Amino acid sequence: MNRLVRVGSVAVASLGVLALSACGSDPEPSGSSSPSTGSSSTGAECPQGTLNAEGSSAQKNAIEEVISKYNESCDKVTVNYNPTGSGAGIKQFNNGQVDFAGSDSALKTEAKDGGESEAAQAAKRCATNPALNLPMVIGPVAIAYNVDGLPKLVLDGATAAQIFQGTVKTWNDPAIAKLNAGVTLPSAPISVFFRSDESGTTENFTKYLKAAGGAAWKGEPAKKWTGTGAGKEKSAGVAEGVKSTKNSITYVEWSYAVDNKLGVAQIDNGSGAPVELTAETAGKALAAAKPAGTGSDLSMKLDYATKEAGAYPIILVTYEIACSKGLPAEKTALVKSFLTYFAGKDGQGALTELNYAPLPEEIRTKVDAAIQTIS
């Protein structure tokens, strides 16, 4: 069952805990919020009402904490976030069921199978106005594993691609042994877990496998998994799968690996030394990203094959996807208020201890400026 994070004036979710089950499958109709009448403890005006959002499970821990902090000032706003996965979030947003979506990849601008693109559908939902891709959470993707007696594991793009493609099948395969000289590796089969739901984490990870794995990865980057393994729903599902299964491996947002006490592979990006996953090394990879959007749309193009020394190459950006225009005034006030806090120094500052990398200041200020254009 999907679970719903409900944080508002009545109940504030604890970090990492989903307080209520999904009783909000029928979101409050747009326009049902009260007008702005409250004020925060800092003196800034706060709206009143209910804000519904859905999507990326990779940012679940981050958005829970930000909602909690936001409600310390704006306690008359209830923010519901349902971490059903990026694909589901975009569909719910485009169908008008939620006020904004969280997605680990920007809206697609190219259509598939003769239909409309995600961006075109979003523009319809926003009363013919474009939807904005607003980068908000930097979530490094860990290659997480559970192997007794293996406190350190080094992988490179080609070897990771072979493991997740299914062509490297055992832990003591020569390809793994070459990267881990002097380490005793078990002869056990490798159990791979993957996201069974459509996932932006999957899309970002397969972008890495394609860029850094070369011919070893046969598929194309996509939200739907095409490699080997056993499927589990959402980030929590794959993390729990590895935690409960010896000699297993998965790809999962970093905070889930840490919370479940899983091993995290170091990545040989070709710079000469394996790179450990930290907020600093993830930030170095983000610095290599190039803008892909125009105007207030801030989608980014990441370099998954970077060879920069000390750069951890497997990162994702969770975007909050919101209408630039087209929502009722009451909902617009709620969206702007919450996203402004999320992009602010307090909101971003709350993420560091949760194993997310905060937005670099030069990006954070652009995100804040784009949010202020929402009307």
Side-chain angles (χ1 to χ4, degrees):
M1 177 182 294
N2 293 335
R3 301 189 64 162
L4 179 65
V5 181
R6 181 179 295 273
V7 185
S9 58
V10 177
V12 178
S14 300
L15 173 62
V17 177
L18 293 175
L20 297 179
S21 60
C23 56
S25 57
D26 296 318
E28 186 176 85
S30 293
S32 60
S33 306
S34 300
S36 301
T37 57
S39 62
S40 73
S41 59
T42 61
E45 287 191 356
C46 286
Q48 297 182 29
T50 298
L51 190 60
N52 296 301
E54 186 169 339
S56 165
S57 63
Q59 73 163 355
K60 190 266 297 181
N61 290 346
I63 199 168
E64 275 189 6
E65 179 71 357
V66 172
I67 291 170
S68 176
K69 296 290 187 183
Y70 172 73
N71 277 137
E72 291 177 5
S73 295
C74 294
D75 62 355
K76 297 186 183 300
V77 180
T78 299
V79 183
N80 301 323
Y81 185 76
N82 198 357
T84 54
S86 299
I90 289 173
K91 288 176 183 177
Q92 288 290 80
F93 175 77
N94 287 348
N95 288 333
Q97 298 301 302
V98 293
D99 304 309
F100 72 90
S103 175
D104 302 327
S105 57
L107 291 169
K108 297 290 184 296
T109 57
E110 296 183 3
K112 288 187 176 181
D113 303 323
E116 290 183 306
S117 69
E118 290 176 343
Q121 293 176 50
K124 281 188 175 180
R125 183 265 191 272
C126 298
T128 71
N129 298 290
L132 303 180
N133 297 287
L134 302 168
M136 197 68 74
V137 176
I138 308 304
V141 179
I143 297 181
Y145 66 94
N146 178 359
V147 179
D148 288 340
L150 190 61
K152 178 183 175 182
L153 174 67
V154 177
L155 296 174
D156 60 13
T159 305
Q162 291 176 82
I163 290 170
F164 286 92
Q165 190 73 64
T167 53
V168 166
K169 301 178 183 295
T170 61
W171 282 102
N172 64 348
D173 186 282
I176 301 176
K178 183 178 179 180
L179 293 166
N180 296 272
V183 176
T184 300
L185 297 166
S187 60
I190 301 173
S191 296
V192 174
F193 288 98
F194 66 87
R195 287 281 295 273
S196 60
D197 54 318
E198 287 194 1
S199 163
T201 307
T202 296
E203 183 172 13
N204 281 273
F205 185 61
T206 52
K207 284 180 179 178
Y208 165 72
L209 295 179
K210 187 71 173 180
W217 183 251
K218 306 302 182 185
E220 293 297 324
K223 291 186 177 74
K224 187 174 182 180
W225 182 249
T226 60
T228 192
K232 297 285 185 181
E233 284 195 359
K234 307 181 185 63
S235 301
V238 292
E240 177 58 33
V242 172
K243 182 179 181 179
S244 60
T245 307
K246 295 297 183 185
N247 302 311
S248 60
I249 196 167
T250 193
Y251 58 95
V252 70
E253 197 277 326
W254 186 27
S255 68
Y256 286 85
V258 173
D259 289 348
N260 287 277
K261 298 179 173 58
L262 304 177
V264 174
Q266 297 182 16
I267 301 299
D268 182 348
N269 69 359
S271 64
V275 181
E276 182 180 357
L277 173 51
T278 67
E280 181 181 0
T281 60
K284 285 188 176 182
L286 180 64
K290 305 296 183 184
T294 58
S296 294
D297 179 73
L298 300 178
S299 55
M300 304 173 72
K301 183 176 178 59
L302 302 175
D303 182 6
Y304 297 94
T306 180
K307 290 181 170 56
E308 181 180 348
Y312 182 86
I314 321 174
I315 63 173
L316 62 80
V317 176
T318 298
Y319 297 89
E320 311 311 329
I321 295 172
C323 292
S324 59
K325 296 180 181 180
L327 291 185
E330 297 87 349
K331 286 293 186 183
T332 298
L334 288 164
V335 170
K336 285 188 72 171
S337 175
F338 176 68
L339 293 185
T340 295
Y341 182 86
F342 206 164
K345 291 184 178 180
D346 288 345
Q348 289 295 304
L351 305 183
T352 306
E353 294 183 0
L354 305 180
N355 300 302
Y356 295 90
L359 294 172
E361 183 63 13
E362 63 271 21
I363 296 176
R364 190 198 68 76
T365 55
K366 290 179 181 179
V367 173
D368 181 71
I371 293 168
Q372 303 317 311
T373 67
I374 295 174
S375 62

